[in-house]
Amino acid sequence: MSSLHALVTGASAGIGAEFARQLAASGCGLVLTARRTERLEALAAQLRERHGVDVACLPADLADPRAPAWLHEECARRGLAIDVLVNNAGYGVTGSFLSRPWQTHADFIQVLMTAPAELCHRFLPAMRERGRGRIINVASLAGLVPAPAGHTLYAASKAYLIKFSQALSLENRAYGVHVLACCPGFTHSEFHDVTGTREQMKGMPRWMWMDAGAVVSDALAAVERGESIRVSGRVNRAIKALVKLLPDRLGERLVAGGGKNFRDST
């Protein structure tokens, strides 16, 4: 019989690594995937030693359109049934839309939009057959507020994940499968180092930031409750509520005024 595992994408650092830690602490076996093999293997060794769980590492680049099918096939070949799917892999592309070549945007869309949808499509049928499954798509508060200039596709991709998760949740509740869009705000991770915006982020007040551990524990509790959208933290939930009350044009002006201090929009 296949053993039940959680598949976590983008598991080599940040929120993805924290999902791996907390799931392992609960006794869940893991399948970890990311591009950085050495980091994956180091995390896997740590989790095996600390929690005594089975951890498989399947390094892959989700910008490759073949990667989702390969991950599904490799899990099946190894007899690893995926009970929890965490679509966490992601990054940001700085600058305005036309300042980057199309292939950069195409890769971004593949990683943040196409790959999560395909992984859901491939792993969901078995979850429905077993009568239980959990899918967490890591979106962002950015998908719920007006989008600033720069990082042009980022908020759009997160809004897509939120709506996708909401519909998928409604379609699969009757089968025992819970689907959640996890929507953190500013979170301590390597995200801004990778995008080269760490200096801009130093201007953000401390109360705007959350710890990755708090984001993950909140998301895991929310998916068990059957929520379809979870905004992490009271400050971020207050921002979401406030934005709903503002006229669109005013919201856009506020974002345009403040966003330029924290974004590279060249």
Side-chain angles (χ1 to χ4, degrees):
M1 179 181 291
S2 299
S3 57
L4 296 178
H5 283 65
L7 170 59
V8 183
T9 72
S12 60
I15 291 175
E18 187 58 32
F19 266 111
R21 293 187 190 100
Q22 293 195 27
L23 287 165
S26 72
C28 186
L30 296 170
V31 178
L32 306 180
T33 186
R35 292 177 300 169
R36 295 179 288 190
T37 305
E38 289 184 5
R39 284 203 174 192
L40 279 184
E41 294 290 356
L43 177 60
Q46 179 188 91
L47 297 178
R48 291 187 196 107
E49 180 179 357
R50 183 170 299 175
H51 302 293
V53 296
D54 178 59
V55 185
C57 294
L58 300 179
D61 184 355
L62 291 178
D64 183 345
R66 299 168 296 180
W70 177 79
L71 286 169
H72 182 258
E73 292 164 4
E74 192 63 17
C75 286
R77 188 184 71 80
R78 298 186 184 202
L80 304 173
I82 301 304
D83 187 53
V84 179
L85 171 62
V86 180
N87 282 311
N88 166 77
Y91 59 98
V93 175
T94 58
S96 65
F97 187 61
L98 294 180
S99 70
R100 299 291 183 266
W102 172 247
Q103 190 58 51
T104 298
H105 296 311
D107 290 345
F108 179 89
I109 291 169
Q110 174 64 35
V111 173
L112 276 86
M113 298 173 69
T114 306
E118 183 175 350
L119 287 170
C120 288
H121 194 268
R122 291 185 179 279
F123 286 104
L124 185 55
M127 293 181 184
R128 286 170 53 137
E129 287 178 13
R130 290 191 297 269
R132 187 188 186 283
R134 303 290 183 262
I135 297 174
I136 299 175
N137 294 317
V138 179
S140 171
L141 178 64
L144 295 165
V145 300
H151 292 264
T152 318
L153 290 174
Y154 186 78
S157 72
K158 297 305 185 179
Y160 160 85
L161 278 180
I162 292 166
K163 293 300 184 182
F164 171 62
S165 301
Q166 194 173 36
L168 209 59
S169 174
L170 292 171
E171 290 177 7
N172 290 281
R173 284 176 182 170
Y175 298 92
V177 179
H178 295 178
V179 182
L180 173 77
C182 168
C183 302
F186 291 104
T187 305
H188 292 294
S189 70
E190 295 182 1
F191 178 87
H192 297 104
D193 297 310
V194 174
T195 59
T197 55
R198 176 59 61 191
E199 285 301 313
Q200 292 97 315
M201 290 304 105
K202 288 181 179 178
M204 293 294 297
R206 290 185 179 181
W207 53 265
M208 290 286 294
W209 292 88
M210 287 189 68
D211 176 76
V215 170
V216 170
S217 61
D218 187 59
L220 290 173
V223 76
E224 288 302 320
R225 291 192 298 267
E227 296 184 29
S228 59
I229 301 172
R230 180 64 177 176
V231 177
S232 306
R234 284 178 291 182
V235 169
N236 294 322
R237 288 193 288 274
I239 292 172
K240 177 195 171 189
L242 177 61
V243 165
K244 277 190 170 183
L245 300 175
L246 296 176
D248 289 345
R249 186 167 293 184
L250 177 56
E252 289 173 4
R253 282 205 296 265
L254 289 173
V255 166
K260 63 185 179 182
N261 297 321
F262 310 113
R263 305 271 185 177
D264 172 11
S265 50
T266 55

